[in-house]
């Protein structure tokens, strides 16, 4: 594929209000193919709001969204899927009463004239689970009887259904063990190798630095700095997140996760 | 197990524990379902003994189906509403209103029977769309909307029917009074048409089961053990066979009501089990937010399940009016509770997301058999109510306890 010329996803001047609260003000974001963009910021910085706008779960009050240079609107999650956007939401967004196959294909079921193509969906599910080398015993297991880590791998497996161009991961490692986190990061790298554009929302600086190419900082709903991961120092990033002058930021111990920074 | 690094590439072979789970995983979900069927059989045998064999007199079986057709039809719609996490309290009143309009359309406007039936179904859809609009698009809880509907449509029924309106169309009244014409004659005691239908049903069941099994095989997916598969088919065939044999010796053969219910059961089992719409109903009941974020159009699903139960309530209006030969303002009183009870006895979860058409039907039949058995035994109707209440309580308690023991929630 080589390096893509234009950005895959461009968001320009995005604003979103909830009543009196300005969640996002004039936010810009660009994601290229073969790129992992980390979206970081303190609590209530607007990260999840931005992710939900990309995912079609929220519509912005103003602003322009372009995919491959074409202006688009993303009014619903189904529209996002059709535009090639796959999202893993913070709280997993899975149905515990349905089995693994049903969750993987939820909202995008394969079907004939009347009947769902259950056999075909289960076959693909097994392939995807094998690719993720997950330890989920059966594609027919109801989600309710899986562990948190197994559920997370189902949520992530959803990004392999269809052929998305852009993957949004909202806190994908929040509830995972060290080993599980490593596997999620490997999966993100795999997605990048496949030429996808990835937006990674995380509180965990170690994860962000391990896997991202670029770091975009949001603070109080506004852009507050953009860094090339390789060249950025913790101090610079933390300063951008907290809005503190750099001298202040130096007092924070390096390597702390950002959630520890108030 | 919760600390499993399930994403680690070196997955390795499945542990013994999970392979056991994989083998019986498909059965686990159905185990409760089989339990309900077993409970129905036990209750039937119990009353068969206590009534000295009178419960299963051929004509009593036909009467049982005719008397409980309304619960089965409503329970089909209700279980879909309950699975989606809602409730519908209005169906009894809707039945009365639509039954009233149907009677007026025949008695006063002179509509032919089939136009009256069509009118009832269309009116049901309109009523369902009305309630579905408030629930799905305005966002008022279904409990409130249908509670309002319960008042509104009972009031409308009283206003248009006042006391009662007779229906004198013999074809319309025949919907519930008659059986399928036994034009094939009788073989000794037995109505041949009923035997033929029964035989076709058994063959279709076997064919459908074989087909879905071979579809799984074609995709290299796990199938049930042969023993379980064969046992399932044999039991289903036996059940259909016994009912067929009994009905074939009844005065009329196959009641039309049974034919209506059978068509609905097959169609709705397919909708809930095999279509995208059915999957979305379960998804909404399981986790509405997740379903919405995954691209399920939750509003339109909500809307259509209420349109659907509206149409079924319209059909029930026809069934009740036809059975009584008259429309009553008080018709359908308490039907919503019968239907809801049938769903919960049949294993539906109060929290939504869980339930089946077959369960709701079996629940309706359990209540019907209790009613009929106790009334044959001459038990006072007030005690019948007490017993039905206790059965509902015990069924749901059993459900909860067995779920807790299985370790899910």
């Amino acid at each position: 594929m080589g390096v893509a010329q234009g950005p895959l996803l461009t968001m320009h001047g995005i604003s979103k209000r909830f009543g009196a609260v300005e969640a996002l003000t004039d936010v810009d974001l660009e994601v290229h193919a073969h790129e992992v963009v980390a979206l970081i910021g303190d609590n209530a910085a607007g990260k999840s709001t931005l992710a939900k706008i990309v995912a079609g779960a929220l519509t912005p009050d103003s602003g322009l969204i372009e995919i491959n240079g074409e202006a688009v609107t993303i009014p619903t999650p189904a529209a996002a899927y059709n535009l090639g956007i796959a999202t893993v939401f913070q709280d997993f967004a899975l149905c515990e009463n349905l089995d693994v196959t049903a969750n993987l294909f939820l909202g995008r079921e394969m079907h004939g004239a009347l009947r769902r193509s259950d056999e075909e969906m289960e076959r693909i599910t097994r392939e995807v689970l094998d690719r993720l080398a997950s330890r989920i015993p059966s594609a027919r297991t109801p989600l309710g009887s899986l562990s948190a880590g197994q559920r997370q791998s189902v949520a992530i497996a959803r990004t392999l259904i269809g052929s998305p161009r852009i993957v949004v991961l909202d806190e994908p490692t929040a509830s995972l063990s060290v080993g599980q986190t490593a596997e999620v990061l490997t999966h993100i790298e795999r997605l990048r190798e496949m030429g996808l554009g990835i937006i990674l929302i995380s509180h965990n600086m170690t994860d962000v630095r391990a896997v991202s190419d670029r770091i975009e900082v949001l603070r109080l709903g506004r852009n507050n700095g953009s860094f090339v991961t390789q060249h950025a120092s913790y101090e610079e990033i933390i300063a951008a997140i907290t809005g503190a002058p750099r001298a202040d930021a130096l007092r924070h111990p390096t390597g702390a996760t950002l959630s520890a920074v108030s | 197990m919760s600390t499993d690094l399930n994403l680690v590439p070196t997955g390795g072979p499945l542990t013994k524990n999970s392979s056991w789970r994989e083998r019986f995983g498909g059965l686990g979900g159905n185990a409760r379902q089989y339990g309900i069927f077993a409970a129905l059989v036990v209750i039937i045998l119990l009353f068969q003994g206590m009534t000295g064999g009178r419960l299963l007199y051929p004509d009593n079986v036909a009467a049982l189906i005719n008397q409980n057709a309304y619960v089965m039809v409503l329970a089909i719609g209700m279980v879909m509403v309950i699975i989606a996490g809602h409730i519908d309290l209005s169906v009894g009143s809707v039945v009365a209103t639509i039954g009233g309009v149907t009677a007026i359309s025949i008695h006063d406007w002179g509509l032919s029977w089939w136009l009256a039936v069509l009118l009832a179904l269309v009116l049901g859809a309109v009523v369902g769309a009305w309630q579905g609009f408030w629930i799905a698009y305005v966002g008022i809880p279904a409990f409130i909307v249908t509670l309002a509907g319960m008042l509104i449509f009972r009031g409308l029924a009283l206003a248009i029917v006042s006391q009662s309106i007779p229906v004198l169309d013999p074809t319309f009244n025949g919907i519930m009074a008659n059986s399928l014409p036994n034009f094939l004659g009788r073989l000794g005691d037995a109505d041949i048409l009923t035997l033929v239908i029964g035989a076709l049903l058994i063959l279709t069941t076997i064919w459908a089961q074989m087909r879905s099994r071979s579809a799984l095989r074609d995709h290299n997916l796990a199938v049930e053990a042969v023993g379980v598969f064969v046992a399932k088919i044999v039991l289903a065939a036996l059940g259909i066979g016994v009912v067929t044999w009994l009905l074939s010796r009844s005065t009329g053969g196959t009641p039309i009501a049974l034919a209506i219910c059978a068509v609905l059961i097959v169609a709705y089992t397919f909708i809930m089990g095999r279509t995208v719409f059915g999957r979305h109903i379960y998804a909404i009941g399981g986790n509405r937010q997740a379903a919405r974020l995954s691209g399920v159009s939750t509003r339109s699903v909500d809307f259509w399940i209420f349109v659907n139960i509206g149409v079924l309530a319209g059909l029930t209006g026809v069934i009740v009016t036809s059975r009584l030969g008259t429309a009553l303002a008080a018709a359908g009183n308490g039907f919503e509770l019968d239907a809801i009870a049938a769903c919960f006895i049949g294993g539906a979860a109060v929290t939504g997301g869980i339930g089946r058409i077959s369960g709701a039907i079996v629940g309706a039949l359990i209540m019907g058999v209790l009613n009929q058995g106790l009334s044959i035994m001459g038990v006072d109707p007030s005690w019948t109510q007490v017993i039905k209440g206790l059965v509902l309580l015990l069924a749901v308690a059993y459900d909860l306890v067995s779920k807790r023991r299985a370790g899910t929630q």
Side-chain angles (χ1 to χ4, degrees):
Chain A
M1 276 189 212
V3 180
Q5 303 85 353
L8 204 52
L9 170 75
T10 312
M11 301 180 83
H12 185 69
I14 302 290
S15 296
K16 177 74 187 174
R17 272 175 169 284
F18 298 106
V21 182
E22 275 193 73
L24 293 174
T25 314
D26 216 11
V27 169
D28 296 340
L29 183 70
E30 267 186 11
V31 184
H32 294 80
H34 289 279
E35 186 184 37
V36 178
V37 177
L39 194 58
I40 63 173
D42 209 344
N43 292 338
K47 304 170 304 230
S48 291
T49 307
L50 195 60
K52 285 194 167 135
I53 288 173
V54 178
L58 291 173
T59 43
D61 297 331
S62 61
L64 184 70
I65 303 175
E66 288 179 356
I67 290 181
N68 276 339
E70 260 179 66
V72 294
T73 54
I74 315 175
T76 61
Y81 175 73
N82 291 331
L83 288 166
I85 300 167
T87 310
V88 177
F89 289 99
Q90 190 166 5
D91 32 18
F92 298 3
L94 298 167
C95 292
E96 302 212 336
N97 59 331
L98 299 181
D99 67 14
V100 174
T101 306
N103 269 288
L104 234 54
F105 283 89
L106 185 57
R108 57 199 68 161
E109 289 84 358
M110 301 166 72
H111 58 87
L114 282 173
R115 197 173 170 278
R116 282 194 318 260
S117 315
D118 282 344
E119 295 83 8
E120 184 65 11
M121 288 194 281
E122 188 176 337
R123 191 184 59 72
I124 295 173
T125 301
R126 289 207 347 181
E127 275 179 26
V128 167
L129 292 181
D130 285 348
R131 249 160 88 191
L132 283 174
S134 72
R135 277 203 190 163
I136 292 165
S138 159
R140 295 180 200 166
T141 319
L143 258 272
S145 49
L146 295 182
S147 70
Q150 289 173 321
R151 283 175 213 199
Q152 182 66 325
S153 66
V154 173
I156 286 173
R158 276 177 61 89
T159 61
L160 295 176
I161 302 296
S163 359
R165 292 177 288 178
I166 299 160
V167 172
V168 183
L169 300 144
D170 191 356
E171 299 283 6
T173 59
S175 56
L176 298 189
S177 70
V178 176
Q180 290 165 341
T181 302
E183 187 54 34
V184 170
L185 297 183
T186 311
H187 176 63
I188 293 173
E189 279 165 358
R190 237 177 271 152
L191 294 176
R192 172 170 54 195
E193 278 160 29
M194 288 160 63
L196 276 62
I198 296 122
I199 299 175
L200 168 68
I201 295 174
S202 181
H203 261 108
N204 190 315
M205 277 296 281
T206 321
D207 292 357
V208 165
R209 291 182 66 95
V211 78
S212 73
D213 301 300
R214 193 149 53 79
I215 298 175
E216 293 288 339
V217 181
L218 287 184
R219 176 171 152 71
L220 302 175
R222 290 170 192 273
N223 289 100
N224 201 35
S226 173
F227 305 90
V228 176
T229 308
Q230 274 186 316
H231 305 143
S233 71
Y234 275 118
E235 292 75 23
E236 283 177 307
I237 297 168
I238 288 168
I241 290 170
T242 59
R246 231 158 263 183
D248 277 0
L250 281 171
R251 288 190 208 124
H252 293 287
T254 31
T257 63
L258 292 182
S259 53
V261 179
S262 57
Chain B
M1 287 302 276
S2 59
T3 54
D4 249 3
L5 301 183
N6 57 296
L7 286 165
V8 169
T10 54
L14 296 164
T15 60
K16 215 173 183 184
N17 187 18
S18 47
S19 83
W20 182 89
R21 250 204 255 162
E22 175 154 39
R23 245 195 278 157
F24 291 93
L27 193 64
N30 294 331
R32 263 186 327 161
Q33 201 64 18
Y34 299 147
I36 297 161
F37 277 104
L40 175 62
V41 171
V42 168
I43 289 175
I44 289 174
L45 293 179
L46 192 72
F47 277 105
Q48 177 72 352
M50 291 199 298
T51 58
R54 276 180 292 168
L55 180 77
L56 292 185
Y57 278 179
D59 280 354
N60 283 348
V61 175
L64 176 78
I65 288 160
N66 270 328
Q67 279 163 20
N68 291 286
Y70 79 90
V71 198
M72 290 194 262
V73 173
L74 287 179
I76 289 172
M78 190 66 78
V79 78
M80 294 166 74
V81 167
I82 287 175
I83 290 169
H86 300 294
I87 196 82
D88 190 337
L89 301 176
S90 69
V91 285
S93 300
V94 174
V95 165
T97 306
I98 294 181
V101 176
T102 309
I104 291 171
S105 73
I106 294 173
H107 186 259
D108 295 348
W109 309 339
L111 286 195
S112 60
W113 70 273
W114 63 271
L115 268 176
V117 170
L118 193 66
L119 176 70
L121 300 183
V122 170
L123 274 179
V126 171
V127 168
W130 159 260
Q131 302 200 110
F133 165 76
W134 292 105
I135 293 160
Y137 295 102
V138 183
I140 302 175
F143 186 92
I144 308 291
V145 172
T146 60
L147 183 63
M150 189 180 183
L151 299 170
I152 294 169
F153 295 108
R154 181 61 63 190
L156 283 178
L158 285 165
I160 59 176
V161 179
S162 72
Q163 283 284 315
S164 67
I165 299 168
V167 179
L168 302 172
D169 185 322
T171 320
F172 183 86
N173 292 338
I175 295 174
M176 289 305 287
N178 291 346
S179 299
L180 296 180
N182 43 359
F183 61 89
L184 294 177
R186 283 185 177 261
L187 185 70
D189 263 353
D191 169 39
I192 295 175
L193 178 67
T194 305
L195 292 179
V196 168
I197 292 174
L200 284 177
L201 267 179
I202 291 175
L203 290 176
T204 316
T205 309
I206 295 174
W207 175 78
Q209 290 288 331
M210 301 277 266
R211 187 164 161 261
S212 75
R213 190 178 169 85
S214 76
L216 286 173
R217 275 260 172 72
D218 289 348
H219 288 77
N220 269 325
L221 302 174
V223 291
E224 285 170 314
V226 179
V228 176
F229 180 71
V230 171
K232 225 169 74 175
I233 289 187
V234 168
L235 284 178
L238 204 65
I240 298 172
V242 168
V243 174
T244 304
W245 174 243
L246 287 172
L247 281 176
S248 72
R249 295 183 312 139
S250 72
T251 312
T254 306
I256 293 174
L258 176 62
I260 294 174
C261 288
V263 168
L264 290 180
I265 292 168
V266 171
Y268 279 94
T269 302
F270 175 80
I271 289 173
M272 291 305 281
R274 286 299 193 172
T275 67
V276 173
F277 181 64
R279 172 63 53 79
H280 287 178
I281 294 175
Y282 281 101
I284 285 179
N287 185 341
R288 177 172 299 267
Q289 177 73 350
R292 198 179 68 80
L293 290 174
S294 301
V296 175
S297 169
T298 54
R299 286 181 169 178
S300 89
V301 173
D302 282 340
F303 180 77
W304 286 108
I305 56 177
F306 277 95
V307 171
N308 178 66
I309 196 172
V311 172
L312 291 175
L315 177 59
T316 309
V318 170
I319 286 175
V320 170
T321 310
S322 159
R323 212 166 85 77
L324 299 176
T326 179
L328 298 174
N333 211 349
F335 279 16
E336 60 282 340
L337 301 181
D338 288 335
I340 292 169
C343 294
F344 288 137
I345 289 176
V350 185
T351 46
I354 293 169
R356 284 187 178 210
I357 299 290
S358 57
I361 294 297
V362 171
L365 288 175
I366 286 178
M367 303 264 280
V369 171
L370 278 174
N371 259 341
Q372 176 126 349
L374 292 170
S375 101
I376 292 175
M377 288 167 65
V379 175
D380 191 281
S382 35
W383 287 106
T384 306
Q385 291 240 14
V386 173
I387 291 169
K388 275 160 69 181
L390 287 174
V391 166
L392 170 63
L393 198 61
L394 288 178
V396 176
Y398 169 77
D399 223 37
L400 273 179
V401 171
S402 61
K403 233 187 275 178
R404 225 171 272 160
R405 202 174 299 158
T408 54
Q409 289 159 11

